[in-house]
Amino acid sequence: MTDTEPPYRRVAADIRRRVEAGELAPGDLVPSARQITQRWGVAIATATKALALLRQEGLTTVRPGIGTVVASTRPGARRRERRDTPELSRDRIVATAIAIADTEGFAEVSMRRVATELGVATMSLYRHVPSKDELTLFMIDAAFGPAVLPATPPPGWRARLELAGRVLWRLFRRHPWLAPTLSLTRPQPAMNGLRFTEWVLASFDGTRLSMTDRLHVHLLMFSYVRGLATTLEAEAEAERDTGITGNEWMDRGFGGAELPPDVPVFRHLVEIDDFDLDLDHLFGFGLDRLLDGLATYIDGR
């Protein structure tokens, strides 16, 4: 290692040394990108690149729901791991892809990357998942799986629609990549997503809404929730790159930008009222107003 080496390689070499010295044992969490920026004084992009290099070398791996850990490197450990590891299946492939997308963004998901995390040849994935498009569809379907809506819904269309909207928001919060991946004009044929739609459409039983109007209402609600949720992945990426939250960025005056003199109302909002952009609060505020408007339309029928 020399001073002329790129910073990400110096960081990776330091972590590699700790693993080889036994300071980090197989299964131990390695420093996160945020911890790397604080300890080594590098940018978040450099930290991310260092972690990617360690994964490519097979020194670390991503554990769904846990994070990046040291891979088993003891002599013979890989052979024992493979005997103990469950057989490759579509469910394992999809779960691994979702874990990558949840922690690093959908752009990091590829057949090669998933194969690397699973410790198998890339071509072996295609026996279970024919293509990247199919993988995306399976990811969407699996993500919607936990979005269970009650078989016995609450009374009234408004309570049902509000519940569906909040379940959808929590789902997008859990998987920031999901909202921008879904298409409104060319919806993917994910069966769990279709069951969600069916539950919403049935919420209007007992009203005079036509089937077309029911679908329009569903798409209106879906578009609102999805539209707001499309900011989640971009915000998560911005936090990884800059190391500051959206509100911290606002507190710094739009990242340090000078506000022009002809926006006094906005200046008052940001500098005096100390506005806090809470996306969960914004979602709830917008959903309530959307339901208020729909009540005027639906009840008036």
Side-chain angles (χ1 to χ4, degrees), residues 250-272:
M250 290 282 286
D251 290 341
R252 297 180 185 185
F254 282 19
E258 184 69 26
L259 291 177
D262 56 345
V263 289
V265 177
F266 188 80
R267 182 186 295 275
H268 186 283
L269 177 69
V270 175
E271 297 180 355
I272 300 178

PDB file of all heavy atoms in Angstrom, residues 250-272:
ATOM      1  N   MET A 250     -31.618  21.368   4.187  1.00  0.00           N
ATOM      2  CA  MET A 250     -32.471  22.557   4.233  1.00  0.00           C
ATOM      3  C   MET A 250     -31.948  23.547   5.265  1.00  0.00           C
ATOM      4  O   MET A 250     -31.931  24.765   5.033  1.00  0.00           O
ATOM      5  CB  MET A 250     -33.900  22.150   4.586  1.00  0.00           C
ATOM      6  CG  MET A 250     -34.631  21.372   3.499  1.00  0.00           C
ATOM      7  SD  MET A 250     -35.238  22.421   2.162  1.00  0.00           S
ATOM      8  CE  MET A 250     -36.615  23.227   2.959  1.00  0.00           C
ATOM      9  N   ASP A 251     -31.502  23.034   6.440  1.00  0.00           N
ATOM     10  CA  ASP A 251     -30.996  23.912   7.493  1.00  0.00           C
ATOM     11  C   ASP A 251     -29.762  24.689   7.039  1.00  0.00           C
ATOM     12  O   ASP A 251     -29.489  25.786   7.545  1.00  0.00           O
ATOM     13  CB  ASP A 251     -30.655  23.100   8.745  1.00  0.00           C
ATOM     14  CG  ASP A 251     -31.899  22.567   9.445  1.00  0.00           C
ATOM     15  OD1 ASP A 251     -32.992  23.107   9.178  1.00  0.00           O
ATOM     16  OD2 ASP A 251     -31.780  21.602  10.218  1.00  0.00           O
ATOM     17  N   ARG A 252     -29.018  24.105   6.115  1.00  0.00           N
ATOM     18  CA  ARG A 252     -27.829  24.779   5.600  1.00  0.00           C
ATOM     19  C   ARG A 252     -28.164  25.744   4.470  1.00  0.00           C
ATOM     20  O   ARG A 252     -27.278  26.252   3.783  1.00  0.00           O
ATOM     21  CB  ARG A 252     -26.811  23.747   5.115  1.00  0.00           C
ATOM     22  CG  ARG A 252     -26.293  22.844   6.231  1.00  0.00           C
ATOM     23  CD  ARG A 252     -25.279  21.841   5.720  1.00  0.00           C
ATOM     24  NE  ARG A 252     -24.880  20.913   6.776  1.00  0.00           N
ATOM     25  CZ  ARG A 252     -23.935  19.989   6.638  1.00  0.00           C
ATOM     26  NH1 ARG A 252     -23.297  19.870   5.480  1.00  0.00           N
ATOM     27  NH2 ARG A 252     -23.631  19.180   7.627  1.00  0.00           N
ATOM     28  N   GLY A 253     -29.476  25.972   4.277  1.00  0.00           N
ATOM     29  CA  GLY A 253     -29.887  26.914   3.251  1.00  0.00           C
ATOM     30  C   GLY A 253     -29.740  26.353   1.859  1.00  0.00           C
ATOM     31  O   GLY A 253     -29.007  26.898   1.030  1.00  0.00           O
ATOM     32  N   PHE A 254     -30.457  25.250   1.600  1.00  0.00           N
ATOM     33  CA  PHE A 254     -30.389  24.608   0.289  1.00  0.00           C
ATOM     34  C   PHE A 254     -28.963  24.226  -0.076  1.00  0.00           C
ATOM     35  O   PHE A 254     -28.485  24.481  -1.177  1.00  0.00           O
ATOM     36  CB  PHE A 254     -30.960  25.522  -0.796  1.00  0.00           C
ATOM     37  CG  PHE A 254     -32.461  25.539  -0.834  1.00  0.00           C
ATOM     38  CD1 PHE A 254     -33.204  25.118   0.246  1.00  0.00           C
ATOM     39  CD2 PHE A 254     -33.138  25.976  -1.962  1.00  0.00           C
ATOM     40  CE1 PHE A 254     -34.584  25.136   0.215  1.00  0.00           C
ATOM     41  CE2 PHE A 254     -34.521  25.995  -2.008  1.00  0.00           C
ATOM     42  CZ  PHE A 254     -35.250  25.580  -0.909  1.00  0.00           C
ATOM     43  N   GLY A 255     -28.267  23.638   0.879  1.00  0.00           N
ATOM     44  CA  GLY A 255     -26.896  23.229   0.625  1.00  0.00           C
ATOM     45  C   GLY A 255     -25.932  24.391   0.544  1.00  0.00           C
ATOM     46  O   GLY A 255     -24.848  24.268  -0.015  1.00  0.00           O
ATOM     47  N   GLY A 256     -26.309  25.540   1.088  1.00  0.00           N
ATOM     48  CA  GLY A 256     -25.416  26.699   1.081  1.00  0.00           C
ATOM     49  C   GLY A 256     -25.765  27.712   0.017  1.00  0.00           C
ATOM     50  O   GLY A 256     -25.091  28.740  -0.099  1.00  0.00           O
ATOM     51  N   ALA A 257     -26.830  27.456  -0.766  1.00  0.00           N
ATOM     52  CA  ALA A 257     -27.223  28.396  -1.817  1.00  0.00           C
ATOM     53  C   ALA A 257     -27.821  29.661  -1.197  1.00  0.00           C
ATOM     54  O   ALA A 257     -28.485  29.621  -0.166  1.00  0.00           O
ATOM     55  CB  ALA A 257     -28.241  27.749  -2.756  1.00  0.00           C
ATOM     56  N   GLU A 258     -27.575  30.792  -1.848  1.00  0.00           N
ATOM     57  CA  GLU A 258     -28.083  32.073  -1.383  1.00  0.00           C
ATOM     58  C   GLU A 258     -29.496  32.278  -1.914  1.00  0.00           C
ATOM     59  O   GLU A 258     -29.742  32.199  -3.119  1.00  0.00           O
ATOM     60  CB  GLU A 258     -27.179  33.205  -1.873  1.00  0.00           C
ATOM     61  CG  GLU A 258     -27.579  34.572  -1.362  1.00  0.00           C
ATOM     62  CD  GLU A 258     -27.343  34.721   0.134  1.00  0.00           C
ATOM     63  OE1 GLU A 258     -26.455  34.012   0.665  1.00  0.00           O
ATOM     64  OE2 GLU A 258     -28.042  35.539   0.758  1.00  0.00           O
ATOM     65  N   LEU A 259     -30.456  32.522  -1.000  1.00  0.00           N
ATOM     66  CA  LEU A 259     -31.828  32.757  -1.434  1.00  0.00           C
ATOM     67  C   LEU A 259     -31.949  34.158  -2.030  1.00  0.00           C
ATOM     68  O   LEU A 259     -31.400  35.116  -1.477  1.00  0.00           O
ATOM     69  CB  LEU A 259     -32.787  32.626  -0.247  1.00  0.00           C
ATOM     70  CG  LEU A 259     -32.964  31.213   0.334  1.00  0.00           C
ATOM     71  CD1 LEU A 259     -33.887  31.257   1.546  1.00  0.00           C
ATOM     72  CD2 LEU A 259     -33.511  30.258  -0.711  1.00  0.00           C
ATOM     73  N   PRO A 260     -32.667  34.300  -3.149  1.00  0.00           N
ATOM     74  CA  PRO A 260     -32.836  35.625  -3.748  1.00  0.00           C
ATOM     75  C   PRO A 260     -33.727  36.500  -2.870  1.00  0.00           C
ATOM     76  O   PRO A 260     -34.524  35.991  -2.070  1.00  0.00           O
ATOM     77  CB  PRO A 260     -33.510  35.310  -5.093  1.00  0.00           C
ATOM     78  CG  PRO A 260     -34.194  34.001  -4.885  1.00  0.00           C
ATOM     79  CD  PRO A 260     -33.324  33.236  -3.929  1.00  0.00           C
ATOM     80  N   PRO A 261     -33.632  37.829  -3.009  1.00  0.00           N
ATOM     81  CA  PRO A 261     -34.395  38.733  -2.129  1.00  0.00           C
ATOM     82  C   PRO A 261     -35.893  38.756  -2.406  1.00  0.00           C
ATOM     83  O   PRO A 261     -36.662  39.221  -1.573  1.00  0.00           O
ATOM     84  CB  PRO A 261     -33.759  40.102  -2.418  1.00  0.00           C
ATOM     85  CG  PRO A 261     -33.209  39.975  -3.801  1.00  0.00           C
ATOM     86  CD  PRO A 261     -32.746  38.555  -3.929  1.00  0.00           C
ATOM     87  N   ASP A 262     -36.323  38.280  -3.588  1.00  0.00           N
ATOM     88  CA  ASP A 262     -37.734  38.387  -3.953  1.00  0.00           C
ATOM     89  C   ASP A 262     -38.546  37.149  -3.567  1.00  0.00           C
ATOM     90  O   ASP A 262     -39.581  36.865  -4.171  1.00  0.00           O
ATOM     91  CB  ASP A 262     -37.876  38.655  -5.454  1.00  0.00           C
ATOM     92  CG  ASP A 262     -37.187  37.606  -6.313  1.00  0.00           C
ATOM     93  OD1 ASP A 262     -36.369  36.835  -5.756  1.00  0.00           O
ATOM     94  OD2 ASP A 262     -37.457  37.545  -7.524  1.00  0.00           O
ATOM     95  N   VAL A 263     -38.088  36.405  -2.542  1.00  0.00           N
ATOM     96  CA  VAL A 263     -38.872  35.270  -2.037  1.00  0.00           C
ATOM     97  C   VAL A 263     -39.004  35.406  -0.516  1.00  0.00           C
ATOM     98  O   VAL A 263     -38.636  34.495   0.236  1.00  0.00           O
ATOM     99  CB  VAL A 263     -38.229  33.907  -2.419  1.00  0.00           C
ATOM    100  CG1 VAL A 263     -38.365  33.641  -3.901  1.00  0.00           C
ATOM    101  CG2 VAL A 263     -36.749  33.852  -2.002  1.00  0.00           C
ATOM    102  N   PRO A 264     -39.560  36.518  -0.035  1.00  0.00           N
ATOM    103  CA  PRO A 264     -39.613  36.761   1.417  1.00  0.00           C
ATOM    104  C   PRO A 264     -40.475  35.745   2.168  1.00  0.00           C
ATOM    105  O   PRO A 264     -40.163  35.409   3.316  1.00  0.00           O
ATOM    106  CB  PRO A 264     -40.197  38.175   1.516  1.00  0.00           C
ATOM    107  CG  PRO A 264     -40.978  38.351   0.244  1.00  0.00           C
ATOM    108  CD  PRO A 264     -40.196  37.621  -0.803  1.00  0.00           C
ATOM    109  N   VAL A 265     -41.563  35.289   1.553  1.00  0.00           N
ATOM    110  CA  VAL A 265     -42.434  34.327   2.234  1.00  0.00           C
ATOM    111  C   VAL A 265     -41.692  33.012   2.433  1.00  0.00           C
ATOM    112  O   VAL A 265     -41.719  32.418   3.521  1.00  0.00           O
ATOM    113  CB  VAL A 265     -43.730  34.103   1.435  1.00  0.00           C
ATOM    114  CG1 VAL A 265     -44.594  33.036   2.120  1.00  0.00           C
ATOM    115  CG2 VAL A 265     -44.509  35.402   1.303  1.00  0.00           C
ATOM    116  N   PHE A 266     -41.019  32.566   1.392  1.00  0.00           N
ATOM    117  CA  PHE A 266     -40.275  31.312   1.499  1.00  0.00           C
ATOM    118  C   PHE A 266     -39.130  31.458   2.495  1.00  0.00           C
ATOM    119  O   PHE A 266     -38.845  30.547   3.279  1.00  0.00           O
ATOM    120  CB  PHE A 266     -39.747  30.906   0.126  1.00  0.00           C
ATOM    121  CG  PHE A 266     -39.123  29.534   0.110  1.00  0.00           C
ATOM    122  CD1 PHE A 266     -39.908  28.397   0.038  1.00  0.00           C
ATOM    123  CD2 PHE A 266     -37.742  29.372   0.194  1.00  0.00           C
ATOM    124  CE1 PHE A 266     -39.336  27.131   0.039  1.00  0.00           C
ATOM    125  CE2 PHE A 266     -37.159  28.117   0.205  1.00  0.00           C
ATOM    126  CZ  PHE A 266     -37.974  26.989   0.118  1.00  0.00           C
ATOM    127  N   ARG A 267     -38.464  32.612   2.468  1.00  0.00           N
ATOM    128  CA  ARG A 267     -37.360  32.848   3.407  1.00  0.00           C
ATOM    129  C   ARG A 267     -37.875  32.793   4.852  1.00  0.00           C
ATOM    130  O   ARG A 267     -37.230  32.212   5.731  1.00  0.00           O
ATOM    131  CB  ARG A 267     -36.710  34.203   3.130  1.00  0.00           C
ATOM    132  CG  ARG A 267     -35.523  34.502   4.041  1.00  0.00           C
ATOM    133  CD  ARG A 267     -35.027  35.926   3.805  1.00  0.00           C
ATOM    134  NE  ARG A 267     -34.503  36.075   2.464  1.00  0.00           N
ATOM    135  CZ  ARG A 267     -33.254  35.777   2.101  1.00  0.00           C
ATOM    136  NH1 ARG A 267     -32.417  35.293   3.012  1.00  0.00           N
ATOM    137  NH2 ARG A 267     -32.854  35.955   0.872  1.00  0.00           N
ATOM    138  N   HIS A 268     -39.038  33.376   5.077  1.00  0.00           N
ATOM    139  CA  HIS A 268     -39.632  33.355   6.414  1.00  0.00           C
ATOM    140  C   HIS A 268     -39.916  31.904   6.831  1.00  0.00           C
ATOM    141  O   HIS A 268     -39.667  31.504   7.972  1.00  0.00           O
ATOM    142  CB  HIS A 268     -40.925  34.171   6.425  1.00  0.00           C
ATOM    143  CG  HIS A 268     -41.530  34.327   7.792  1.00  0.00           C
ATOM    144  ND1 HIS A 268     -42.240  33.324   8.415  1.00  0.00           N
ATOM    145  CD2 HIS A 268     -41.521  35.384   8.650  1.00  0.00           C
ATOM    146  CE1 HIS A 268     -42.649  33.749   9.607  1.00  0.00           C
ATOM    147  NE2 HIS A 268     -42.226  34.989   9.772  1.00  0.00           N
ATOM    148  N   LEU A 269     -40.443  31.124   5.898  1.00  0.00           N
ATOM    149  CA  LEU A 269     -40.771  29.727   6.184  1.00  0.00           C
ATOM    150  C   LEU A 269     -39.531  28.941   6.588  1.00  0.00           C
ATOM    151  O   LEU A 269     -39.542  28.185   7.561  1.00  0.00           O
ATOM    152  CB  LEU A 269     -41.421  29.093   4.952  1.00  0.00           C
ATOM    153  CG  LEU A 269     -41.764  27.603   5.040  1.00  0.00           C
ATOM    154  CD1 LEU A 269     -42.903  27.380   6.025  1.00  0.00           C
ATOM    155  CD2 LEU A 269     -42.142  27.056   3.667  1.00  0.00           C
ATOM    156  N   VAL A 270     -38.454  29.117   5.848  1.00  0.00           N
ATOM    157  CA  VAL A 270     -37.245  28.328   6.069  1.00  0.00           C
ATOM    158  C   VAL A 270     -36.427  28.855   7.238  1.00  0.00           C
ATOM    159  O   VAL A 270     -35.989  28.080   8.096  1.00  0.00           O
ATOM    160  CB  VAL A 270     -36.386  28.303   4.783  1.00  0.00           C
ATOM    161  CG1 VAL A 270     -35.065  27.599   5.042  1.00  0.00           C
ATOM    162  CG2 VAL A 270     -37.150  27.608   3.660  1.00  0.00           C
ATOM    163  N   GLU A 271     -36.235  30.179   7.305  1.00  0.00           N
ATOM    164  CA  GLU A 271     -35.308  30.742   8.275  1.00  0.00           C
ATOM    165  C   GLU A 271     -35.949  31.091   9.616  1.00  0.00           C
ATOM    166  O   GLU A 271     -35.293  31.008  10.654  1.00  0.00           O
ATOM    167  CB  GLU A 271     -34.648  31.988   7.682  1.00  0.00           C
ATOM    168  CG  GLU A 271     -33.793  31.688   6.451  1.00  0.00           C
ATOM    169  CD  GLU A 271     -33.142  32.938   5.888  1.00  0.00           C
ATOM    170  OE1 GLU A 271     -33.437  34.039   6.416  1.00  0.00           O
ATOM    171  OE2 GLU A 271     -32.350  32.819   4.937  1.00  0.00           O
ATOM    172  N   ILE A 272     -37.231  31.464   9.600  1.00  0.00           N
ATOM    173  CA  ILE A 272     -37.871  31.905  10.838  1.00  0.00           C
ATOM    174  C   ILE A 272     -38.768  30.810  11.426  1.00  0.00           C
ATOM    175  O   ILE A 272     -38.681  30.476  12.599  1.00  0.00           O
ATOM    176  CB  ILE A 272     -38.674  33.199  10.612  1.00  0.00           C
ATOM    177  CG1 ILE A 272     -37.728  34.311  10.125  1.00  0.00           C
ATOM    178  CG2 ILE A 272     -39.404  33.618  11.884  1.00  0.00           C
ATOM    179  CD1 ILE A 272     -38.419  35.618   9.821  1.00  0.00           C
TER     180      ILE A 272
END
